[in-house]
Amino acid sequence: MKRILQGSIFTALLTLSFSSVAAEPRFEATYFFQSEATLKEKQIDFKDLARYSRQIQTQVWKALKKVSLAPSRGYLVIAVRADQQVGVWLDMEPALHEYYENEVLEASKKVLPFYVAEGAVVFGVQMSIDSPVHTRKSKPEPKSWIEAKKKLENPNDIEALVQAAWPE
């Protein structure tokens, strides 16, 4: 009986230790780089945009569910162009390991984007990994955007900035 009890306790502890290995991405507020009026001009269906954002969050969760990562917080930044191309960037502190960053970016690109009539729609979703606290940054600024801004005449033009920083 004592061995059965010890075996049960060992199994329970083993299960608990393995269940805490998975990274736990959490998503919070969405930051829009463009005004509501601009989004309406681009004929954005806000319900489609919300569904798209949730689908990306699900894909990111699936990509990270079997890995262990250090706590990190920041933004997942997404741009959808009228040609249905999707650009994705991370602005996380501390930065994710390159392998896991690529996993998140590729998982995000698998989701079929919503309709955009012209130009691009750009937004960021607050994301934390293994942390109940989200970033205090008021808006996202991925590292590749900082370099791209230096090359632009108007660094506040979000569509030009996204084009300049577009991942190849």
Side-chain angles (χ1 to χ4, degrees):
M1 182 68 168
K2 190 174 182 181
R3 281 186 173 229
I4 293 173
L5 186 56
Q6 286 176 338
S8 296
I9 292 172
F10 177 74
T11 303
L13 289 173
L14 192 60
T15 302
L16 286 174
S17 68
F18 279 117
S19 65
S20 64
V21 170
E24 183 69 37
R26 297 168 194 229
F27 301 92
E28 187 63 30
T30 300
Y31 178 87
F32 291 96
F33 286 89
Q34 294 134 313
S35 69
E36 184 176 352
T38 300
L39 295 176
K40 285 181 178 178
E41 287 173 13
K42 295 175 181 295
Q43 300 175 15
I44 301 307
D45 181 323
F46 292 100
K47 288 180 183 177
D48 288 347
L49 189 149
R51 274 191 288 273
Y52 176 73
S53 178
R54 294 297 299 161
Q55 288 172 343
I56 285 179
Q57 292 170 33
T58 299
Q59 291 301 316
V60 169
W61 182 85
K62 287 178 180 178
L64 298 178
K65 73 179 182 180
K66 294 184 179 178
V67 301
S68 179
L69 297 172
S72 183
R73 57 186 72 85
Y75 286 93
L76 173 66
V77 183
I78 303 143
V80 177
R81 295 192 312 208
D83 64 1
Q84 296 292 283
Q85 295 297 308
V86 176
V88 185
W89 299 265
L90 283 179
D91 179 11
M92 302 290 289
E93 287 297 327
L96 298 184
H97 182 278
E98 183 179 350
Y99 175 82
Y100 296 113
E101 179 174 344
N102 283 335
E103 290 290 307
V104 169
L105 300 180
E106 291 306 313
S108 300
K109 290 177 186 177
K110 288 180 183 177
V111 178
L112 186 64
F114 55 90
Y115 175 77
V116 178
E118 62 181 48
V121 170
V122 188
F123 63 98
V125 180
Q126 283 184 334
M127 181 170 96
S128 67
I129 298 174
D130 289 339
S131 173
V133 180
H134 287 277
T135 184
R136 291 186 191 203
K137 289 177 73 173
S138 61
K139 75 183 224 180
E141 188 172 45
K143 287 182 176 47
S144 63
W145 288 20
I146 296 168
E147 288 301 312
K149 274 185 174 184
K150 295 175 185 175
K151 301 173 187 174
L152 297 175
E153 286 182 33
N154 179 4
N156 295 323
D157 180 348
I158 191 62
E159 291 189 48
L161 175 58
V162 165
Q163 283 302 113
W166 198 266
E168 297 300 322

